[in-house]
């Protein structure tokens, strides 16, 4: 940052164009004002989410004591952890198979197929997943319960985990692996000692993305989840149907805090590794 | 050995029927312009590529189908390819560990290597904290630690500045002498090849044109390309009038006849191309009948030598290099009419 500022003449630097600061501020305002309002009213003593009376942590106490919320939080975490672990592993394998090998016929096709789900409207994926599990149940009598949700989440998280891992691999010098092979490392040991350690920041970024995407999902979960398999976003949605209370604000704020915590944690971890 | 890349209409013959024999303990250099197939040949020996045809033998046993990690050959990569997440010590120890040496043996070897490349103080650093020259030494130590039968070096000095490059050339020669390992060294720098090598293979467009000691390559280039690529050369036309093994009597266009060196497979009679180095001729004042006569067009002073750029009577350019002597006046001046005197055996007959 400091470097580019030094090298770019002021006249060409976007930062010094007239109105730059106001436009930037407006963007930040639109992005964060609603969230700030939500967080603000979660500390309201009153039942209203629009009229402030005084500061209180009551809604947090009530939310944390609420068994429905507790169960939903546990379900969300179970699903997200499962989906993150499997989606990231599969995405890592896919990224290696589409970058670390000699070009083969169908490599571009493989790349496109892996990324396609990002382009498919989520409602389509949701309906398809629902039909798929319904078919499994009616024809084969298979129903994994919460496992259905976990599998569905794993699947739609794969392309999200794939992107940062692939980006990292593409920036990695292939001669490093050749050097390892040259120094008597078998392909497996080359992977363990050279490829994987250098890939870690990409894997962390991929896992982080998968985790947040899973934690946040509503549409697919709503279609696939059976009774009693309520995740946190689904629970919040249910509550809102009966009117927005500061309790919902409090739960949302907790969810937000967890997300920020994870992002920060992964970011710091990733930075230390590189 | 043949190596073809690509398929269909988009075929590159990176190596086209190359055959080489390299001696134990030799400092062998592959020299040629960029894109002539040097790296490809090295990668075939290391095992990163499979040949389209041909075989690689080490002590009579074929390496051709062994994967790189089973070949007793190590590489110093052009980009160094040091593992960025490991310290210098771990980088050097990598190959030893993979070969299953004990911790103490590994530590001993690493210490010995650090000493050999004079980096004993920097063992705990990561490659990112080293200068280019230091990284180069680590790459060398990492490859040498395994005492390979053959060390492959792909333009290892090309990223260094001139002064460091000269130092590393001397270092490499010392290390070659101390370790007794066979070096296959790749460069596109003819000066580097001449100063360092026991033997040189000059390559162009996937072919090896000539293999020989630096003196042979410099004094007796057998082809137009080699004569032109290495050092400075004048080309003349002549006619072979008699042939006797490695020497031939040639008649120049001026009519003079001289003994010249000739490659075995050069034409035994008829018109041939001749090469002559600018320092192998002398000049004399004023024209002479039967000599190569010309006029001095420019003079370039180099301290030890002066280059005289002549225009011959037939319109060709010709360069002569004369050594400067202390305190002496330059013997010729721009515009002087001169005769080029060629001694027997200064001319080289070319194949093409
Ligand atoms: N993997 C490859 N695919 C296609 N062509 C290649 C490949 N590697 C090298 N070549 C081609 O082979 C020729 C020789 O390349 P290289 O061995 O790298 O030359 P040098 O090292 O002498 O500069 C070049 O024309 C290059 O473009
Ligand atoms: Mg090369």
């Amino acid at each position: 940052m400091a470097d580019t500022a030094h090298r770019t003449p002021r006249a060409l630097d976007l930062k010094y164009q007239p109105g730059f600061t106001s436009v930037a501020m407006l963007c930040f305002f639109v992005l964060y004002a609603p969230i700030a309002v939500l967080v603000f009213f979660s500390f309201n003593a009153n039942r209203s989410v629009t009229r402030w009376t005084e500061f209180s942590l009551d809604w947090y106490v009530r939310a944390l004591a609420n068994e429905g919320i507790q169960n939903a939080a546990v379900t969300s975490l179970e699903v997200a952890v499962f989906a993150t672990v499997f989606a990231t592993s599969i995405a890592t394998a896919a990224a290696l198979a589409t970058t670390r090998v000699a070009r083969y016929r169908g490599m571009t096709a493989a790349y496109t197929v892996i990324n396609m789900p990002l382009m498919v409207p989520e409602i389509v994926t949701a309906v398809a997943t629902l039909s798929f599990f319904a078919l499994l149940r009616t024809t084969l009598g298979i129903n994994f319960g919460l496992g259905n949700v976990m599998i569905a989440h794993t699947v739609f998280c794969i392309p999200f985990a794939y992107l940062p891992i692939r980006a990292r691999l593409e920036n990695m010098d292939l001669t490093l692996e050749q050097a390892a092979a040259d120094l008597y490392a078998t392909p497996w040991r080359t992977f363990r000692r050279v490829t994987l350690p250098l890939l870690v920041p990409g894997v962390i970024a991929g896992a982080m993305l998968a985790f947040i995407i899973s934690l946040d999902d509503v549409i697919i979960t709503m279609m696939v989840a059976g009774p009693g398999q309520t995740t946190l976003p689904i629970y919040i949605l249910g509550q809102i149907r009966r009117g927005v209370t500061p309790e919902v604000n409090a739960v949302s704020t907790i969810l937000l805090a967890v997300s920020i915590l994870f992002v920060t944690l992964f970011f710091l971890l990733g930075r230390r590794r590189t | 050995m043949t190596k073809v890349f690509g398929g269909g209409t988009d075929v590159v013959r990176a190596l086209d029927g190359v055959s080489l024999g390299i001696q134990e303990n030799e400092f062998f250099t592959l020299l040629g312009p960029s894109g002539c197939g040097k790296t490809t040949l090295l990668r075939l020996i290391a095992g990163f590529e499979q040949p389209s045809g041909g075989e690689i033998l080490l002590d009579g046993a074929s390496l051709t189908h062994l994967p790189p990690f089973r070949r007793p050959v190590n590489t110093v990569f052009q980009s160094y390819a040091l593992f960025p997440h490991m310290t210098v010590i771990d980088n050097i120890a990598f190959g030893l560990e993979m070969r299953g040496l004990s911790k103490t043996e590994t530590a001993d070897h690493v210490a010995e290597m650090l000493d050999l490349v004079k980096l004993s103080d920097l063992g705990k650093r990561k490659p990112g904290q080293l200068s280019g020259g230091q990284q180069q030494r680590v790459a060398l130590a990492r490859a040498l630690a395994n005492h390979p039968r053959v060390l492959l070096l792909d333009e290892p000095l090309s990223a260094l500045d001139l002064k460091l490059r000269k130092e590393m050339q001397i270092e490499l020669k010392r290390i070659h002498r101390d370790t007794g390992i066979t070096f296959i060294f790749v460069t596109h720098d003819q000066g580097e090849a001449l100063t360092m090598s026991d033997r040189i293979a000059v390559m162009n467009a996937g072919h090896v044109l000539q293999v020989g000691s630096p003196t042979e390559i410099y004094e007796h280039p057998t082809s137009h390309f080699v004569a032109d690529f290495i050092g400075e050369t004048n080309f003349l036309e002549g006619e072979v009038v008699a042939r006797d093994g490695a020497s031939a009597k040639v008649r120049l266009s001026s009519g003079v006849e001289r003994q010249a060196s000739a490659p075995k497979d050069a034409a035994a009679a008829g018109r041939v191309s001749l090469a002559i180095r600018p320092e192998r001729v002398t000049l004399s004042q004023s024209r002479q009948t039967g000599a190569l006569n010309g006029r001095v067009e420019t003079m370039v002073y180099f301290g030890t030598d002066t280059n005289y750029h002549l225009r011959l009577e037939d319109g060709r350019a010709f360069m002569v290099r004369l050594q400067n002597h202390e305190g002496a006046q330059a013997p010729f001046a721009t515009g002087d009419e001169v005769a080029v005197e060629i001694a027997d055996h200064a001319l080289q007959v070319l194949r093409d």
Side-chain angles (χ1 to χ4, degrees):
Chain A
M1 258 326 245
D3 268 356
T4 35
H6 274 295
R7 267 186 251 116
T8 319
R10 272 177 86 104
L12 298 177
D13 194 326
L14 193 62
K15 281 205 299 295
Y16 296 105
Q17 301 302 314
F20 175 83
T21 313
S22 357
V23 172
M25 285 306 145
L26 184 68
C27 290
F28 282 127
F29 181 78
V30 172
L31 277 173
Y32 288 106
I35 296 177
V37 170
L38 174 129
V39 173
F40 181 71
F41 280 104
S42 71
F43 296 108
N44 195 359
N46 192 293
R47 237 197 114 68
S48 166
V49 289
T50 47
R51 195 168 40 79
W52 178 261
T53 45
E54 62 173 321
F55 180 84
S56 133
L57 287 173
D58 280 358
W59 296 110
Y60 284 88
V61 176
R62 284 181 61 166
L64 291 175
N66 182 330
E67 216 166 296
I69 292 178
Q70 286 173 2
N71 291 339
V74 171
T75 307
S76 268
L77 278 182
E78 279 172 359
V79 171
V81 168
F82 182 96
T84 302
V85 169
F86 284 91
T88 309
S89 311
I90 294 167
T92 305
L96 288 166
T98 49
T99 53
R100 254 26 201 177
V101 290
R103 284 200 70 82
Y104 54 88
R105 284 171 70 88
M107 195 151 152
T108 317
Y111 178 69
T112 315
V113 168
I114 293 166
N115 285 305
M116 191 87 89
L118 296 175
M119 262 78 88
V120 175
E122 198 183 349
I123 187 70
V124 175
T125 313
V127 172
T129 315
L130 174 68
S131 325
F132 175 75
F133 283 121
L135 194 71
L136 268 190
R137 198 175 55 244
T138 51
T139 56
L140 301 172
I142 297 172
N143 184 1
F144 297 112
L146 189 59
N148 281 356
V149 181
M150 289 172 166
I151 292 168
H153 276 230
T154 303
V155 170
F156 73 71
C157 284
I158 290 171
F160 289 98
Y162 174 80
L163 286 178
I165 299 173
R166 185 191 160 96
R168 176 80 187 172
L169 274 174
E170 279 183 331
N171 286 331
M172 246 165 75
D173 189 358
L174 250 175
T175 51
L176 290 177
E177 279 135 331
Q178 284 171 359
D182 191 65
L183 295 162
Y184 314 101
T186 57
W188 169 245
R189 296 177 99 180
T190 298
F191 178 72
R192 272 286 301 115
R193 296 289 306 273
V194 177
T195 316
L196 196 58
L198 292 171
L199 191 55
V200 163
V203 173
I204 288 176
M208 175 172 93
L209 215 54
F211 187 84
I212 301 296
I213 296 283
S214 164
L215 206 62
D216 181 54
D217 181 73
V218 174
I219 301 177
I220 294 173
T221 315
M222 218 151 63
M223 295 281 182
V224 176
Q229 297 165 1
T230 310
T231 61
L232 216 43
I234 303 284
Y235 180 88
I236 293 172
L237 207 63
Q239 289 295 298
I240 284 177
R241 293 227 177 85
R242 287 184 260 146
V244 184
T245 64
E247 189 178 0
V248 169
N249 285 21
V251 180
S252 305
T253 305
I254 292 172
L255 203 55
L256 180 71
V258 171
S259 298
I260 292 175
L261 184 77
F262 266 89
V263 172
T264 316
L265 213 67
F266 282 131
F267 176 74
L268 290 178
L269 260 177
R271 206 171 49 170
R272 213 196 44 189
R273 290 288 193 138
T274 37
Chain B
M1 184 91 85
T2 298
K3 177 68 190 176
V4 180
F5 287 111
T9 52
D10 194 21
V11 170
V12 180
R13 296 186 79 81
L15 290 177
D16 198 356
V18 166
S19 193
L20 285 174
I22 295 165
Q23 306 301 313
E24 175 133 38
N25 195 7
E26 203 171 16
F27 196 119
F28 191 89
T29 297
L30 302 173
L31 171 66
S34 175
C36 72
K38 308 180 297 289
T39 298
T40 303
L41 184 51
L42 227 51
R43 290 171 57 79
L44 283 163
I45 300 172
F48 304 135
E49 303 279 359
Q50 279 294 306
S52 311
E55 269 209 294
I56 303 158
L57 304 178
L58 181 67
D59 297 332
S62 175
L63 290 184
T64 321
H65 300 292
L66 290 180
F69 54 91
R70 297 245 167 73
R71 300 189 185 200
V73 165
N74 288 118
T75 308
V76 177
F77 291 84
Q78 187 166 9
S79 58
Y80 310 145
L82 298 177
F83 305 126
H85 57 302
M86 298 182 198
T87 62
V88 167
I89 287 178
D90 292 342
N91 263 282
I92 299 174
F94 189 86
L96 303 166
E97 246 179 81
M98 292 299 128
R99 278 165 54 224
L101 267 68
S102 73
K103 281 230 150 43
T104 48
E105 273 178 300
T106 303
D108 286 352
H109 275 75
V110 170
E112 190 190 320
M113 283 304 132
L114 282 172
D115 199 42
L116 183 73
V117 298
K118 304 188 177 129
L119 283 179
S120 299
D121 309 336
L122 303 179
K124 297 236 160 52
R125 294 223 189 145
K126 295 267 180 77
Q129 300 165 302
L130 300 177
S131 73
Q134 290 166 338
Q135 290 183 21
Q136 161 76 73
R137 286 159 187 267
V138 178
L140 197 59
R142 184 178 72 173
L144 282 170
N146 306 288
H147 290 287
R149 295 298 314 279
V150 181
L151 185 73
L152 307 172
L153 303 107
D154 192 357
E155 311 215 13
L157 308 182
S158 63
L160 305 178
D161 61 47
L162 185 66
K163 185 164 176 293
L164 207 52
R165 190 153 73 228
K166 295 277 178 228
E167 277 173 31
M168 278 307 290
Q169 287 176 0
I170 294 165
E171 280 285 295
L172 268 181
K173 280 302 276 180
R174 173 183 68 84
I175 289 168
H176 175 250
R177 210 175 39 240
D178 291 356
T179 57
I181 290 171
T182 309
F183 278 34
I184 303 181
F185 181 88
V186 162
T187 182
H188 63 257
D189 178 341
Q190 42 114 0
E192 195 166 279
L194 290 175
T195 52
M196 300 183 71
S197 319
D198 293 326
R199 280 196 307 153
I200 300 170
V202 185
M203 296 179 64
N204 187 35
H207 296 271
V208 169
L209 297 179
Q210 191 174 353
V211 183
S213 69
T215 338
E216 279 163 3
I217 297 277
Y218 184 81
E219 300 286 347
H220 303 294
T222 58
S223 58
H224 202 282
F225 180 86
V226 175
D228 199 28
F229 189 72
I230 292 155
E232 283 164 310
T233 310
N234 296 297
F235 293 102
L236 296 171
E237 297 287 321
E239 196 172 346
V240 176
V241 292
R243 178 74 199 262
D244 175 25
S247 99
K249 177 166 259 186
V250 293
R251 184 186 300 126
L252 298 178
S253 51
S254 58
V256 289
E257 289 185 3
R258 289 283 180 270
Q259 284 297 332
S261 310
K264 285 190 200 68
D265 51 353
R271 299 204 61 80
V272 286
S273 255
L274 299 161
I276 186 161
R277 298 290 179 192
E279 70 276 12
R280 296 293 304 274
V281 297
T282 53
L283 288 182
S284 61
Q285 291 286 1
S286 75
R287 292 160 177 276
Q288 289 167 17
T289 44
L292 282 178
N293 293 317
R295 203 159 57 84
V296 177
E297 279 195 331
T298 18
M299 292 165 53
V300 183
Y301 177 75
F302 280 106
T304 53
D305 305 300
T306 300
N307 284 350
Y308 294 85
H309 295 266
L310 314 182
R311 182 68 54 189
L312 299 184
E313 280 172 330
D314 61 5
R316 282 169 180 266
F318 195 96
M319 191 177 82
V320 178
R321 180 176 307 139
L322 299 180
Q323 214 172 16
N324 295 322
H325 298 287
E326 194 195 326
Q329 279 285 321
F332 305 98
T334 309
D336 279 5
E337 298 287 337
V338 290
V340 179
E341 293 186 356
I342 298 172
D344 272 341
H345 304 295
L347 285 162
Q348 172 71 35
V349 176
L350 302 176
R351 262 194 322 236
D352 50 355

